[in-house]
């Protein structure tokens, strides 16, 4: 409910409450006084906004300074640099291209890496490392491991080749993140050898791992990859020389002993063909020469004026036949070489796939046998 005493609630009139006559007369008198004081009728506080600023202070003009007169430079010619002096033609600093900058940074990184490797090589002693345990001849080295792979996953994958005694996944000492390689110690040496032969190139967590023996405690003067040593050709140079396939690098059999054991390869049929080709060509040449000699003997016995002409014709025919045979033999050799190279690559690929399939089947058979033994032990 509203207040009946409120002026806006009264019905006799709308609007603000009425003013007294005395107040109205006072307002009119004030307005008249203001109008008499200033023509605009503005109040004093508003008129102050339009008052002018005080006048500027007078400053006398500055006096002009006398400058020395212009003169020539003849008196300074004796101080000029002469040709041949270092100040006459200072060396021009050439700009550095992006390629040169990248090469300079690359060389600096190589130098820093060499210095760091040299300093760490003095501290490298795998024989006295507190983190290294077990028999080195029963230890397997596994590289190119995924960073998400755990020790439990590695043990589960490699225990198919035999009982495992210890698995060590190497982590960074500062950050604690995995370095991408691990060491597996088997209880028996034969199981380690089996894993070395069959587990190379096995896929774990969508990455094919590389398997090798431990070389830090078995190979004298061994240095790992981080200290400038190591094996393989995955980081030799550019993409055209780096190794692109997974697994260990195939060793080339030479007179010197190789780093890893490698079975001798059978002699390739292409090389046998190339070695036999000169013998066959020599036999054909001897046969043609004997045939020409017999024909010449018959011509001597028969005689006649056309004997020299026939001899020249036979000689030209023999030369043309030898030239055609040589060209045809060269083309045949190139064709056989290309065909042999393709067949050799295809055979090597099929052998690698068959060996990998055989390793997978053996691994599955070993896993099934281990699972059956565990089930029997559990039933007992």
């Amino acid at each position: 409910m509203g207040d009946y005493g409120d002026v806006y609630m009264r019905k006799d009139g709308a609007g603000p409450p009425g003013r007294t006559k005395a107040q109205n007369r006072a307002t009119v008198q004030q307005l008249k006084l203001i109008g008499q004081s200033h023509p605009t009728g503005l109040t004093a506080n508003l008129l102050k906004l339009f008052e002018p600023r005080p006048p500027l202070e007078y400053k006398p003009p500055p006096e002009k300074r006398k400058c020395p007169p212009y003169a020539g430079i003849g008196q300074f010619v004796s101080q000029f640099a002469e040709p041949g002096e270092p100040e006459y033609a200072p060396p021009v600093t050439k700009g550095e291209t992006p390629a040169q900058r990248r090469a300079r940074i690359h060389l600096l990184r190589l130098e820093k890496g060499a210095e760091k490797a040299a300093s760490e090589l003095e501290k490298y002693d795998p024989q006295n490392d507190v983190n290294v345990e077990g028999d080195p001849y029963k230890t397997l080295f596994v590289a190119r491991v995924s960073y998400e792979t755990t020790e439990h996953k590695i043990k589960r994958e490699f225990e198919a080749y035999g009982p495992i005694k210890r698995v060590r996944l190497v982590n960074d000492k500062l950050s604690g993140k995995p370095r991408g390689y691990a060491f597996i110690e088997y209880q028996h040496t034969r199981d380690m050898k089996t894993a070395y032969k069959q587990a190379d190139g096995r896929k774990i967590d969508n990455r094919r791992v590389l398997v090798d023996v431990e070389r830090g405690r078995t190979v004298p003067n061994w240095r790992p990859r981080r200290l400038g040593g190591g094996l393989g050709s995955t980081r030799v140079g550019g993409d055209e020389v780096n190794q692109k396939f997974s697994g260990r690098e195939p060793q080339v059999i030479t007179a010197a002993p190789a780093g890893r054991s490698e079975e001798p390869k059978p002699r390739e049929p292409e090389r046998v063909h190339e070695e036999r080709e000169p013998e066959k060509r020599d036999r054909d040449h001897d046969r043609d020469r004997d045939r020409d000699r017999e024909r010449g003997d018959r011509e001597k016995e028969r005689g006649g004026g056309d004997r020299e002409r026939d001899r020249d014709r036979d000689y030209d025919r023999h030369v043309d036949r030898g030239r055609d045979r040589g060209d045809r033999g060269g083309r045949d050799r190139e064709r056989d070489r290309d065909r042999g190279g393709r067949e050799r690559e295809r055979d090597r690929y099929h052998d690698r796939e068959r060996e990998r399939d055989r390793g997978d089947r053996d691994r599955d058979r070993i896993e099934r046998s281990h699972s059956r033994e565990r089930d029997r032990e559990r039933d007992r």
Side-chain angles (χ1 to χ4, degrees), residues 65-73 75-76:
R65 183 172 57 89
K66 291 184 178 181
C67 297
Y70 292 109
I73 61 172
Q75 55 182 344
F76 304 105

Side-chain angles (χ1 to χ4, degrees), residues 28-48:
V28 171
Q29 188 68 21
Q30 186 179 4
L31 292 175
K32 288 182 179 180
L33 293 174
I34 293 173
Q36 292 177 2
S37 62
H38 197 272
T40 59
L42 298 177
T43 59
N45 55 354
L46 293 177
L47 291 174
K48 288 182 180 180

Side-chain angles (χ1 to χ4, degrees), residues 43-316:
T43 59
N45 55 354
L46 293 177
L47 291 174
K48 288 182 180 180
L49 299 176
F50 296 95
E51 289 181 357
R53 296 179 179 178
L56 298 176
E57 183 182 2
Y58 174 76
K59 296 289 184 180
E63 298 180 359
K64 290 186 177 180
R65 183 172 57 89
K66 291 184 178 181
C67 297
Y70 292 109
I73 61 172
Q75 55 182 344
F76 304 105
V77 172
S78 60
Q79 300 180 8
F80 290 170
E82 297 294 335
E85 297 181 1
E87 298 180 357
Y88 183 80
V92 179
T93 304
K94 295 184 179 180
E96 190 178 25
T97 62
Q100 294 175 351
R101 180 176 178 273
R102 288 193 295 268
R104 179 175 56 81
I105 294 175
H106 180 65
L107 292 177
L108 291 177
R109 288 179 178 176
L110 290 178
E111 293 177 359
K112 291 182 180 179
E115 294 177 359
K116 183 179 179 181
S119 61
E120 292 183 357
L121 184 60
E122 299 176 356
K123 306 176 184 178
Y124 178 70
D125 188 8
Q127 302 293 342
N128 301 323
D129 193 352
V130 295
N131 297 323
V132 178
E133 299 178 4
D135 188 359
Y137 296 96
K138 297 180 182 178
T139 305
L140 195 71
F141 170 74
V142 184
R144 302 177 190 172
V145 181
S146 176
Y147 294 145
E148 287 78 17
T149 306
T150 59
E151 292 183 356
H152 177 71
K153 181 65 176 295
I154 295 175
K155 183 176 181 181
R156 188 178 62 183
E157 291 289 338
F158 281 88
E159 68 181 357
Y161 305 103
I164 294 177
K165 185 177 180 181
R166 181 173 177 265
V167 176
R168 180 198 171 199
L169 186 63
V170 181
N171 297 327
D172 190 81
K173 295 181 180 179
L174 300 178
S175 62
K177 297 181 180 180
R179 296 290 300 275
Y181 61 94
F183 294 93
I184 304 174
E185 183 184 359
Y186 284 90
Q187 294 183 2
H188 306 287
T189 307
R190 61 177 181 274
D191 298 333
M192 188 274 294
K193 292 182 179 180
T194 303
Y196 171 77
K197 294 178 182 179
Q198 299 181 6
D200 186 48
R202 185 171 180 174
K203 186 175 287 188
I204 301 177
D205 289 342
N206 296 326
R207 284 181 64 90
R208 294 197 179 274
V209 299
L210 181 142
V211 174
D212 197 5
V213 297
E214 183 186 352
R215 299 179 181 272
R217 294 182 291 171
T218 57
V219 179
N221 300 326
W222 171 258
R223 292 191 299 173
R225 175 63 65 86
R226 62 185 175 86
L227 299 181
L231 295 177
S233 58
T234 56
R235 286 179 283 181
V236 176
D239 296 338
E240 64 277 0
V241 297
N242 285 346
Q243 175 182 334
K244 298 180 178 62
F245 55 87
S246 61
R248 292 189 296 268
E249 183 180 4
Q251 299 294 314
V252 180
I253 300 176
T254 58
R260 299 189 184 99
S261 60
E262 187 74 16
E263 297 181 358
K265 297 182 180 180
R267 193 173 186 181
E268 299 177 358
E270 177 188 353
R271 296 184 180 279
V272 176
H273 176 73
E274 291 180 357
E275 291 177 0
R276 291 181 179 178
E277 187 68 26
E279 299 178 0
K280 182 179 179 181
R281 189 164 56 249
D282 294 340
R283 287 198 301 270
D284 296 340
H285 182 68
D286 295 341
R287 189 183 304 110
D288 295 339
R289 187 174 54 194
D290 295 340
R291 188 183 300 111
D292 295 338
R293 188 182 296 110
E294 293 177 356
R295 186 182 297 108
D297 295 340
R298 287 197 299 270
E299 289 294 335
K300 284 182 181 181
E301 295 177 356
R302 185 170 50 196
D306 299 335
R307 187 164 49 194
E308 295 180 359
R309 187 169 56 255
D310 296 338
R311 187 185 300 109
D312 296 338
R313 191 185 303 112
D314 294 339
Y315 176 79
D316 296 337

